[in-house]
Amino acid sequence: MSDTPRQPPAPPVVKPGREDVDGTTTLERVPQKTEPPRLYQVLLLNDDFTPMEFVVMVLQEFFRHDLDTATQIMLKIHHEGRGVCGVFTKDVAATKVELVLAAARRAGHPLQCIMEAA
Ligand code: TYC
């Protein structure tokens, strides 16, 4: 997936601190502003073959939704074609997608799971 390249981490910015008793000065680190990490939605896509119970199980096991919420999300996907399972940092979202796809393939279901920048 395409991604805006980020700057490499900048070296620490320092400024001279107060003069020490021995006449030397120790450099002090200037706190840097960091951007919050970009977030990614993990989505499930509808298909005609994956059993509803399996999708509910995925939403409970991999996204920690309770039975009611998992059932509501599954039905939304069933009716609207896609639905958000959760929002995560990039690595966590990618791992969730891989785990869900692996579980679906292991169980013989064509369930599709994708991630999108939130
Ligand atoms: N449409 C499926 C069925 O009727 C259920 C389903 C829901 C499948 C959500 C995938 O992401 C999905 N068995």
Side-chain angles (χ1 to χ4, degrees):
M1 89 187 304
S2 73
D3 207 5
T4 313
R6 299 266 201 132
Q7 297 298 320
V13 176
V14 292
K15 65 170 189 204
R18 264 183 295 129
E19 194 168 306
D20 295 330
V21 282
D22 63 358
T24 62
T25 47
T26 305
L27 295 178
E28 287 176 359
R29 192 180 283 254
V30 178
Q32 297 301 288
K33 293 206 176 68
T34 51
E35 297 295 323
R38 292 183 64 185
L39 295 177
Y40 292 78
Q41 294 181 329
V42 174
L43 300 114
L44 285 174
L45 307 183
N46 189 36
D47 66 71
D48 292 337
F49 305 101
T50 304
M52 291 183 173
E53 297 73 25
F54 184 82
V55 179
V56 171
M57 180 281 292
V58 163
L59 288 161
Q60 290 180 281
E61 295 297 317
F62 294 97
F63 300 98
R64 311 314 305 173
H65 290 299
D66 61 33
L67 177 60
D68 270 11
T69 308
T71 303
Q72 284 173 29
I73 296 172
M74 182 280 295
L75 287 173
K76 179 184 165 68
I77 302 165
H78 178 71
H79 291 298
E80 299 178 16
R82 53 191 257 152
V84 177
C85 310
V87 179
F88 309 95
T89 55
K90 190 176 194 182
D91 288 358
V92 174
T95 301
K96 301 261 182 208
V97 169
E98 290 308 315
L99 291 174
V100 169
L101 291 176
R105 298 305 166 264
R106 224 173 15 249
H109 302 313
L111 183 63
Q112 287 298 326
C113 186
I114 62 171
M115 62 190 269
E116 287 180 353

